[in-house]
Amino acid sequence: MMNWKLEEEGYDVDKIATNGNKFLVGNGYLGIRGTLQEYGREEFPAINLAGIYDRVGDAWREPLNAPNGLYTYIELNGTEYRLPQISPTNHHVALDYRHGIFHRETTWETPVGKVTVKAERFASLKDKHLIAMKYIVSSEGEGVLRLVTGIDGDVWDINGPHYDYILPQVEQGILKEIGVTHESGDQVCVCEAAVEDFPMEIKISDEGRKLLRVITIQAKAGISYTIYKYISVYTSKDRADFKELALELVQKAQTEGYATVKRLHTEEWEKKWKVSEVVIEGDDAALEGLNYSIYHLHCIAPRHTSYLSIAARGLSGQTYKGAVFWDTEMFMLDFFLHTEPTVAKTLLKYRVDTLEGARKKARSYGFDGAFYAWESQEGGFDACSDYNVTDVFTGRPMRTYFKDKQIHISSAVVYGIMRYVDYTGDCVILSEGGAKVILECAAFYYDLLVKKVHADHYELHDVIGPDEYHERVNNNAYTNRMAKYTFDSAIRVIGLIDKLDQATAEKLKDQYDLSRLYSRYSDAAAKLYIPQPDEKGIIEQFDGYRNLEDVSLQELRGRLLHEKEYWGGAYGIATHTKIIKQADVVTMLNLFSSDYRKEILLNNWEYYEKRTEHGSSLSACMYAMLACKCGMPERAYSLFLKSATEDIRGEGKQWAGLVYIGGTHPAASGGAYMTAVEGFAGIHHEKGVLTADPKLPAHWTHFTCKVIYRGDLYHVNITQDKTEITKLGRA
Ligand code: BGC
């Protein structure tokens, strides 16, 4: 049995950054890092916003952190009691990840006895613009207690400051800060209402960035003083009347009261778990890790709009530029397909919405069609820079080619759309722009085909596959196979054209010479070279891979001159070896396993696993899933657990030189879900029927979950010797 609680006793300054990720709460519109109320920018607090970005100077463009309306600290008899400045006698933090509620309790010793702060807060899942907090102070001794609370507009940024100025205002007792961004003048409005009955004054400091209430209380021994805070966040991108809405929302919350706001929030979480909870008996670590991963996926699901995707670090901050990678379609999509298909569609509609950006990117390289952004921000803008890594030895930026050569991103978009169509049986997304996206991606790959004069096949040259340590290679097996998949998908779409709504079908027929495209893409799909297994059954990752130095991971690690040096690029230690960063051929085999004999799957798994650093959190789950397909659940298990506990362990890299790169790992969370549900439980669909072919690890005595398939909700119940799938009715 799990208690749905992640807890930590004691205070450790070194955990400030990791705990910000571990104890995150969020609702898809915003994510609140698991930091403490009194923290200032040095401790990386953030109310990170989805889908709104800003750029200052030449630095990376990154998402915005809203002015921090949670900001609160105490002062007793003239001394501020706050972390990390004053060491506590007791400190406890907890995340109730069943309901997305963060708790903290801290006690300090003072000359008049102990003073204790207890607080809880949540990002409302009911109203995505609302945050609520309860903050309680009690002192053992008497004295003048000051509670300072309000909005801190001096936010933490990696490449900020993003607000050129902040307008502090007070309206009907409500504090309001409006931050105006540097690049496009977007506005972020935060309102704060605090409910208490004590005298207070309002103070503005830090050149208007901090707008605070100072509440003064003659504290009595042993009495608790409580304040409730409601904070709303709206931006000028949400609605024209965003400021009025922000004000009205906190007023409404004040009227409803904390208990009601909290009840509505927890009810919403219960609705999510009713469908998405996975129960594993016989393995508490897996049970906890998996549901904690699912919690994080819920926290970042965009439910407030119909076209938005998820950033590679979710809503845990500005790391990775808040950008959307192939992580969404290849690793996170399946969770939403199985539990909340409307969110899956929202993620894909983001790609439809950013098609123009992808076409522009293709054009900028002189190609036809759609080349999706490697690190996509709004409008499909590619935030990936030419110099994405800094050399630790020279301090100089290194030219990397992720943006230019990771062409497999477009095929991930196609894969996502077709997977949605096949799984849900709903072709409407094709009429809503999906068909055009697929045709444009096929046009892009078609333009990239290389044919040697005497050859009768096509190749793809100068690419980077999922393994980023080997840049600019020819015929990467994954990329070529995915390009073929794109051609096949375009052919399918052309075949489906008359099933789309009439207006879309007519428009596509006007715009494209579909019969010519049909024959072009049929030819390309048939003749594109797909690296085949050699005499030992091994598929070469790219041309020439087999001639690289075969060194063990251990030996390669021993060659490092600096713990943070980059393994790829021109001088990287892995570049001229067979060591790869992450699953590459294995990802391809996992997606197309039915094309290969089991022996081939197994040979390649064995061959590549020992040569994989798993230097990306995306890697382990692909090996785990293929291990399940090879009938090796025991070997899949540790890789599954690695993905499922990525954020609970919080041991991932936090720093690259002086740049903070930590955050949550939603792709690993999605990969853990896929491994459990599609791998161990073997849930899949065949000809419109949901079925399961389980391969549970021996110590899992019972597995249950619910999945939505083609509009119906199913209950899946698996033990070591029986499998039942029951239709429960319309989802
Ligand atoms: C991985 C990519 C991934 C990105 C974002 C990189 O380290 O190599 O495959 O898309 O991180 O998660």
Side-chain angles (χ1 to χ4, degrees), residues 312-313 320 325-327 374 406 466 468 581-582 615-616 618:
R313 290 288 174 271
Y320 277 67
F325 292 63
W326 69 314
D327 304 32
W374 178 242
Q406 250 174 116
E468 292 179 335
K581 179 178 179 185
Q582 64 199 88
S616 157
L618 277 56

Short mmCIF file of all heavy atoms in Angstrom, two decimals, residues 312-313 320 325-327 374 406 466 468 581-582 615-616 618, ligand 1:
data_model
loop_
_atom_site.label_atom_id
_atom_site.label_comp_id
_atom_site.label_asym_id
_atom_site.label_seq_id
_atom_site.Cartn_x
_atom_site.Cartn_y
_atom_site.Cartn_z
N ALA A 312 10.47 19.80 -22.49
CA ALA A 312 11.27 18.63 -22.09
C ALA A 312 11.50 18.57 -20.58
O ALA A 312 11.69 17.49 -20.03
CB ALA A 312 12.61 18.64 -22.81
N ARG A 313 11.49 19.70 -19.89
CA ARG A 313 11.61 19.69 -18.43
C ARG A 313 10.29 20.10 -17.79
O ARG A 313 10.26 20.61 -16.67
CB ARG A 313 12.75 20.61 -17.99
CG ARG A 313 14.14 20.10 -18.34
CD ARG A 313 14.54 18.90 -17.47
NE ARG A 313 15.80 18.32 -17.90
CZ ARG A 313 15.91 17.35 -18.83
NH1 ARG A 313 14.84 16.84 -19.42
NH2 ARG A 313 17.08 16.88 -19.15
N TYR A 320 16.50 23.87 -20.50
CA TYR A 320 16.20 23.39 -21.85
C TYR A 320 15.26 24.36 -22.58
O TYR A 320 14.47 23.98 -23.42
CB TYR A 320 15.59 21.98 -21.82
CG TYR A 320 16.61 20.87 -21.72
CD1 TYR A 320 17.39 20.71 -20.59
CD2 TYR A 320 16.80 19.96 -22.76
CE1 TYR A 320 18.34 19.71 -20.50
CE2 TYR A 320 17.74 18.95 -22.68
CZ TYR A 320 18.51 18.84 -21.54
OH TYR A 320 19.44 17.84 -21.45
N PHE A 325 10.53 19.05 -27.46
CA PHE A 325 11.40 18.19 -28.26
C PHE A 325 10.58 17.00 -28.78
O PHE A 325 9.37 16.92 -28.56
CB PHE A 325 12.54 17.64 -27.41
CG PHE A 325 13.58 18.64 -26.94
CD1 PHE A 325 13.24 19.68 -26.09
CD2 PHE A 325 14.91 18.51 -27.30
CE1 PHE A 325 14.20 20.58 -25.63
CE2 PHE A 325 15.88 19.39 -26.85
CZ PHE A 325 15.52 20.43 -26.01
N TRP A 326 11.25 16.02 -29.37
CA TRP A 326 10.56 14.79 -29.80
C TRP A 326 10.05 14.00 -28.59
O TRP A 326 9.27 13.07 -28.73
CB TRP A 326 11.48 13.93 -30.68
CG TRP A 326 12.67 13.30 -29.97
CD1 TRP A 326 13.52 13.92 -29.09
CD2 TRP A 326 13.12 11.95 -30.06
NE1 TRP A 326 14.49 13.04 -28.66
CE2 TRP A 326 14.27 11.83 -29.24
CE3 TRP A 326 12.70 10.82 -30.77
CZ2 TRP A 326 14.98 10.62 -29.10
CZ3 TRP A 326 13.40 9.63 -30.64
CH2 TRP A 326 14.53 9.54 -29.80
N ASP A 327 10.51 14.40 -27.40
CA ASP A 327 10.11 13.75 -26.15
C ASP A 327 8.59 13.60 -26.06
O ASP A 327 8.07 12.59 -25.57
CB ASP A 327 10.57 14.59 -24.94
CG ASP A 327 12.07 14.87 -24.92
OD1 ASP A 327 12.67 14.99 -26.00
OD2 ASP A 327 12.64 15.00 -23.82
N TRP A 374 13.95 21.57 -33.55
CA TRP A 374 14.49 20.60 -32.60
C TRP A 374 14.10 20.99 -31.17
O TRP A 374 13.74 20.17 -30.36
CB TRP A 374 16.02 20.48 -32.76
CG TRP A 374 16.59 19.52 -31.76
CD1 TRP A 374 17.50 19.80 -30.79
CD2 TRP A 374 16.26 18.15 -31.60
NE1 TRP A 374 17.74 18.68 -30.03
CE2 TRP A 374 16.99 17.65 -30.51
CE3 TRP A 374 15.39 17.27 -32.27
CZ2 TRP A 374 16.91 16.32 -30.08
CZ3 TRP A 374 15.29 15.95 -31.84
CH2 TRP A 374 16.06 15.50 -30.76
N GLN A 406 19.19 17.05 -36.72
CA GLN A 406 18.33 16.04 -36.10
C GLN A 406 16.98 16.02 -36.83
O GLN A 406 15.93 16.35 -36.29
CB GLN A 406 18.21 16.26 -34.59
CG GLN A 406 18.97 15.12 -33.91
CD GLN A 406 19.10 15.19 -32.41
OE1 GLN A 406 18.57 14.34 -31.72
NE2 GLN A 406 19.82 16.15 -31.92
N PRO A 466 19.08 9.70 -32.78
CA PRO A 466 18.85 9.94 -31.35
C PRO A 466 20.15 9.99 -30.55
O PRO A 466 20.26 10.75 -29.59
CB PRO A 466 17.99 8.74 -30.94
CG PRO A 466 17.26 8.37 -32.19
CD PRO A 466 18.25 8.62 -33.30
N GLU A 468 23.18 11.50 -29.84
CA GLU A 468 23.76 12.80 -30.23
C GLU A 468 25.28 12.83 -30.18
O GLU A 468 25.90 13.82 -30.56
CB GLU A 468 23.20 13.90 -29.33
CG GLU A 468 21.72 14.16 -29.55
CD GLU A 468 21.17 15.25 -28.63
OE1 GLU A 468 21.74 15.47 -27.55
OE2 GLU A 468 20.16 15.87 -29.00
N LYS A 581 25.10 7.60 -26.73
CA LYS A 581 24.48 8.33 -25.62
C LYS A 581 23.19 7.66 -25.15
O LYS A 581 22.91 7.55 -23.97
CB LYS A 581 24.19 9.76 -26.08
CG LYS A 581 23.52 10.61 -25.01
CD LYS A 581 23.28 12.04 -25.49
CE LYS A 581 22.59 12.88 -24.43
NZ LYS A 581 22.24 14.21 -24.89
N GLN A 582 22.36 7.23 -26.12
CA GLN A 582 21.02 6.75 -25.76
C GLN A 582 20.52 5.77 -26.82
O GLN A 582 21.11 5.66 -27.90
CB GLN A 582 20.07 7.93 -25.62
CG GLN A 582 19.84 8.70 -26.91
CD GLN A 582 19.28 10.09 -26.66
OE1 GLN A 582 20.02 11.04 -26.48
NE2 GLN A 582 17.96 10.20 -26.68
N GLY A 615 23.00 8.27 -21.19
CA GLY A 615 23.30 9.64 -20.79
C GLY A 615 22.11 10.56 -20.95
O GLY A 615 22.18 11.73 -20.61
N SER A 616 21.03 10.05 -21.50
CA SER A 616 19.78 10.81 -21.57
C SER A 616 18.73 10.01 -20.82
O SER A 616 18.72 8.77 -20.88
CB SER A 616 19.36 11.00 -23.03
OG SER A 616 17.97 11.25 -23.10
N LEU A 618 15.93 9.57 -21.63
CA LEU A 618 15.02 8.96 -22.59
C LEU A 618 15.44 7.52 -22.95
O LEU A 618 14.72 6.81 -23.64
CB LEU A 618 15.01 9.76 -23.91
CG LEU A 618 14.15 10.99 -24.03
CD1 LEU A 618 14.43 12.01 -22.95
CD2 LEU A 618 14.31 11.65 -25.39
C1 BGC B 1 18.53 14.07 -25.58
C2 BGC B 1 17.42 14.30 -26.57
C3 BGC B 1 16.23 14.87 -25.83
C4 BGC B 1 16.61 16.12 -25.08
C5 BGC B 1 15.47 16.67 -24.24
C6 BGC B 1 18.86 15.36 -24.87
O1 BGC B 1 19.83 15.16 -23.90
O2 BGC B 1 19.67 13.58 -26.23
O3 BGC B 1 17.06 13.10 -27.21
O4 BGC B 1 15.21 15.15 -26.74
O5 BGC B 1 17.68 15.84 -24.21
O6 BGC B 1 15.04 15.75 -23.30
#
